[in-house]
Amino acid sequence: MAVGHAPPPSTLPPDISAIPDIESLTPSSRSGRLPGVPRWLRRTVGPLLLLLVWQVSSATGVLAPEVLASPGTIARSAAALVADGTLPTAMGVSLRRVAAGLLIGGAIGVTLALLSGLSRLGEDLVDATVQMLRTVPWVGLIPLLIIWLGIGEAPKVALIALGTAFHLYLNVYAGIRGVDAQLVEAGQSLGLGRWGLVRHVVLPGALPGAMTGLRYALATAWLALVFGESINADAGIGFLMNQAREFFRTDVIVVCLVVYAFLGLLADAVVRTLERLLLQWRPTFTGQ
């Protein structure tokens, strides 16, 4: 080596074992959970704090009863409605309306999506019309539904069906058209015909989209139920809310809103269970 010249830089890679592991720099575990704290407990902290602030505000007079009843008053009202059978009966009526509307709307939406997604001719005949109709606010159709179907159960069920059909159509159609073309080619190379491809490749590939559409449809179904039960309803959760509004019973109104939320969460849990059963073949990211 010549005198006065610096030695050439080393070409050896740096020792990566000396770099600290990022997991060692964080106090939590790899999944992001706090050690020793169950996940269900962490998820209840927010709602419990909200209830505590609500109760304290009501007890100190910051929140007037005529503005919003206290959690204790709401709990007593809920217990009274359950004890005399008013709330279970109203829940049964509302559930039947949602089930009927979801069944009708789901059948229409899925059928149109299959016709449009599996056939170019069906797409030309169906998709443009559906895309045009879905831009019309379905809540704005309430006056027409009353004129066409009267003020009985039919307009309520029809409103729910309209609200759910478009969600299922869009997601099932997108799921069908989003199937990997290489999977279709692989099925053809294995000798599958048109209906074999539809049954074994296209429909399973569109199932995740259908499950997503079902979740959106269920959320919209409960929203449509709120509007539908304002159409001269004589039973159901919406009927209880309308009665409570006339007498300024904020406790009963909140009870009905909680029931709506509970039924929506229950329906979403059912769909999640279906997803776990039907989509076991699809690996998903569950968070860290």
Side-chain angles (χ1 to χ4, degrees), residues 135-151:
T135 60
V136 178
W138 45 269
V139 178
L141 297 177
I142 292 178
L144 284 177
L145 293 177
I146 294 176
I147 294 175
W148 294 340
L149 305 175
I151 58 175

Side-chain angles (χ1 to χ4, degrees), residues 212-246:
T212 302
L214 182 58
R215 295 182 68 180
Y216 279 113
L218 281 170
T220 304
W222 294 111
L223 178 62
L225 178 67
V226 175
F227 290 101
E229 290 187 333
S230 65
I231 307 175
N232 293 333
D234 57 359
I237 303 174
F239 173 69
L240 289 181
M241 290 184 64
N242 289 332
Q243 278 190 326
R245 180 195 60 197
E246 295 177 0

Side-chain angles (χ1 to χ4, degrees), residues 15-279:
D15 186 9
I16 62 173
S17 61
I19 301 176
D21 189 359
I22 190 173
E23 294 183 2
S24 63
L25 300 179
T26 58
S28 59
S29 62
R30 184 177 181 179
S31 61
R33 301 175 182 175
L34 295 176
V37 180
R39 186 179 183 187
W40 65 267
L41 182 59
R42 290 185 287 122
R43 292 173 67 91
T44 58
V45 170
L48 290 178
L49 286 177
L50 178 61
L51 286 176
L52 180 61
V53 172
W54 184 0
Q55 182 64 43
V56 170
S57 300
S58 299
T60 56
V62 175
L63 187 61
E66 59 270 16
V67 175
L68 185 62
S70 66
T73 303
I74 293 171
R76 289 190 293 271
S77 299
L81 290 173
V82 172
D84 61 13
T86 302
L87 190 58
T89 302
M91 289 175 60
V93 173
S94 296
L95 281 172
R96 286 194 295 271
R97 288 168 178 162
V98 169
L102 185 63
L103 182 63
I104 296 173
I108 295 174
V110 172
T111 300
L112 292 177
L114 292 175
L115 291 174
S116 182
L118 297 176
S119 169
R120 292 183 180 178
L121 176 61
E123 181 182 13
D124 295 338
L125 296 176
V126 172
D127 187 65
T129 303
V130 174
Q131 297 295 341
M132 178 185 65
L133 292 176
R134 77 179 183 88
T135 60
V136 178
W138 45 269
V139 178
L141 297 177
I142 292 178
L144 284 177
L145 293 177
I146 294 176
I147 294 175
W148 294 340
L149 305 175
I151 58 175
E153 291 295 307
K156 302 175 181 60
V157 174
L159 189 65
I160 297 171
L162 282 174
T164 57
F166 294 117
H167 285 300
L168 285 166
Y169 171 84
L170 291 174
N171 285 275
V172 174
Y173 171 79
I176 292 174
R177 291 304 175 94
V179 174
D180 193 348
Q182 294 181 352
L183 295 177
V184 177
E185 294 176 358
Q188 291 174 338
S189 65
L190 293 175
L192 293 178
R194 176 177 176 81
W195 294 111
L197 288 172
V198 170
R199 178 181 177 185
H200 297 288
V201 178
V202 177
L203 293 184
L207 194 56
M211 291 292 101
T212 302
L214 182 58
R215 295 182 68 180
Y216 279 113
L218 281 170
T220 304
W222 294 111
L223 178 62
L225 178 67
V226 175
F227 290 101
E229 290 187 333
S230 65
I231 307 175
N232 293 333
D234 57 359
I237 303 174
F239 173 69
L240 289 181
M241 290 184 64
N242 289 332
Q243 278 190 326
R245 180 195 60 197
E246 295 177 0
F247 295 98
F248 299 97
R249 293 287 305 274
T250 59
D251 53 343
V252 177
I253 293 175
V254 174
V255 169
C256 295
L257 292 176
V258 170
V259 170
Y260 275 130
F262 172 77
L263 293 177
L265 289 176
L266 182 62
D268 188 71
V270 172
V271 177
R272 286 176 179 268
T273 302
L274 287 175
E275 286 181 340
R276 286 194 295 267
L277 293 176
L278 298 177
L279 303 178

